[in-house]
Amino acid sequence: MKDIPVEKACPKCGQIFTERPAVSRVDGVTLICPDCGTREALASLGVDPEEQDAIINIIHEKMQ
């Protein structure tokens, strides 16, 4: 039987997503959208928000 995607709202940005959630690095418990998970990971490496946007845009382009 095929799994039906479940829509969830990210508590961090409010975006609706159906992909597997990421665990927030802030508390290690909260489930957030993949984009926010990527942003948190990149921020932990010192990547500035503008470059984070560019990286996330590339990820979205490659996944289409």
Side-chain angles (χ1 to χ4, degrees), residues 22 25 32-43 52 55-56 59:
R25 292 169 181 257
I32 57 177
C33 72
D35 286 352
C36 284
T38 300
R39 286 183 193 284
E40 286 187 3
L42 292 170
Q52 292 174 28
I55 292 168
I56 289 173
I59 292 170

Side-chain angles (χ1 to χ4, degrees), residues 4-51:
I4 299 171
V6 177
E7 290 186 348
K8 300 170 266 305
C10 178
K12 192 163 186 163
C13 71
Q15 173 181 310
I16 301 297
F17 67 99
T18 57
E19 300 87 0
R20 179 179 290 179
V23 177
S24 176
R25 292 169 181 257
V26 174
D27 63 9
V29 178
T30 303
L31 299 179
I32 57 177
C33 72
D35 286 352
C36 284
T38 300
R39 286 183 193 284
E40 286 187 3
L42 292 170
S44 74
L45 297 171
V47 178
D48 65 65
E50 288 177 5
E51 192 170 356

